[in-house]
Amino acid sequence: MLMNMLKIVAVPMHKEGRKFVAIFAAIAVVLGLLWAPLFWIGAGVTVWCYYFFRDPVRVIPQQPGLVVSPADGIVSLIQEVVPEEGLGLGTEPLTRVSVFMNVFNCHVNRAPIAGKVLHIIYHHGKFLNASLDKASIHNERNSLTIEAPDGTRIGVVQIAGLVARRIVCFVKEGDSLQAGHRFGLIRFGSRLDVYLPQGVSPLVSVGQTAVAGETVLADLADPTRQRPGIAE
């Protein structure tokens, strides 16, 4: 029981967060020297920062053809849209599934499928609310195309938000990824879009909670498969 509790509380932190936690901790100490109660406020913010950069272990589905969520958060949009130029996904509308991350979600991003990174395109832009549809066009973002061994291509886009000011990508063009493996991170609050191949139905609904690397967004092996259940 004690070990299970420790696993819940002592969640590993991604190395990208170390300097931020150190900065927040130093500020807390300085504030405490000025007025003791301020130390506890600073300590609380430091703990929040630690958990923002948490990097928990995930159980990745091993069934071939599954597209998993690249982010923790809420499925905010499911739309038919033409993918942005440069991704190599064609000019016909594709189903785009958007997962919105708030400042309390884990922000480590994971590959939706196994494959090779064909394209990475960084777009400088605005920092609008990431939950808005127009954020996919106007916001600062980093777009990747991943090609599976059978030639199927998936687009995944990291989008900055109102608070987010830094998109981090750990991979480069030509790298090979396994489904659910870490490929990036966004600080602090943002969204990820996934472009599904033509004719593939999403297995999630708007408003559903998604878990990076675990929640199945679609099944490429059974593209017309429908999501069981009704959103309530």
Side-chain angles (χ1 to χ4, degrees), residues 67 89 112-113 144-146 152-156 194-197 220:
V67 180
L89 299 177
I113 62 170
L144 296 83
T145 304
I146 303 175
T152 302
R153 295 182 178 183
I154 294 284
V156 56
V194 175
Y195 289 91
L196 301 176
L220 302 180

Side-chain angles (χ1 to χ4, degrees), residues 153-175:
R153 295 182 178 183
I154 294 284
V156 56
V157 185
Q158 299 169 286
I159 303 174
L162 274 174
V163 183
R165 287 296 185 272
R166 175 65 172 162
I167 296 174
V168 182
C169 186
F170 308 143
V171 299
K172 60 183 184 301
E173 292 181 353
D175 284 353

Side-chain angles (χ1 to χ4, degrees), residues 3-207:
M3 291 301 295
N4 289 336
M5 289 298 295
L6 287 175
K7 288 180 180 179
I8 294 173
V9 176
V11 180
M13 181 181 67
H14 195 277
K15 62 182 181 180
E16 284 286 331
R18 292 172 185 169
K19 60 182 178 181
F20 292 96
V21 171
I23 291 171
F24 279 105
I27 292 174
V29 172
V30 172
L31 291 175
L33 294 175
L34 298 175
W35 188 39
L38 290 177
F39 169 78
W40 297 109
I41 296 174
V45 176
T46 302
V47 171
W48 166 79
C49 185
Y50 175 90
Y51 274 91
F52 176 88
F53 287 102
R54 65 192 182 277
D55 187 13
V57 174
R58 295 291 163 80
V59 180
I60 314 301
Q62 297 301 303
Q63 181 180 332
L66 296 182
V67 180
V68 297
S69 177
D72 285 19
I74 299 295
V75 178
S76 58
L77 295 167
I78 298 178
Q79 299 174 310
E80 295 290 321
V81 296
V82 176
E84 62 184 68
E85 294 182 10
L87 287 179
L89 299 177
T91 57
E92 296 298 319
L94 301 176
T95 299
R96 184 182 68 198
V97 179
S98 302
V99 179
F100 176 73
M101 300 178 286
N102 63 38
V103 294
F104 297 104
N105 290 127
C106 172
H107 274 57
V108 174
N109 305 146
R110 294 173 178 265
I113 62 170
K116 181 180 179 180
V117 180
L118 291 184
H119 309 294
I120 299 179
I121 308 170
Y122 198 92
H123 306 265
H124 294 283
K126 301 178 181 179
F127 297 94
L128 305 173
N129 188 330
S131 65
L132 300 176
D133 179 34
K134 60 183 178 181
S136 295
I137 301 174
H138 298 296
N139 277 28
E140 187 125 342
R141 61 197 187 278
N142 187 54
S143 306
L144 296 83
T145 304
I146 303 175
E147 184 177 69
D150 65 358
T152 302
R153 295 182 178 183
I154 294 284
V156 56
V157 185
Q158 299 169 286
I159 303 174
L162 274 174
V163 183
R165 287 296 185 272
R166 175 65 172 162
I167 296 174
V168 182
C169 186
F170 308 143
V171 299
K172 60 183 184 301
E173 292 181 353
D175 284 353
S176 293
L177 297 173
Q178 294 298 316
H181 280 204
R182 303 161 183 83
F183 78 87
L185 180 149
I186 314 178
R187 318 190 288 252
F188 285 90
S190 43
R191 166 178 143 195
L192 266 82
D193 287 347
V194 175
Y195 289 91
L196 301 176
Q198 189 78 37
V200 175
S201 299
L203 297 178
V204 290
S205 300
V206 172

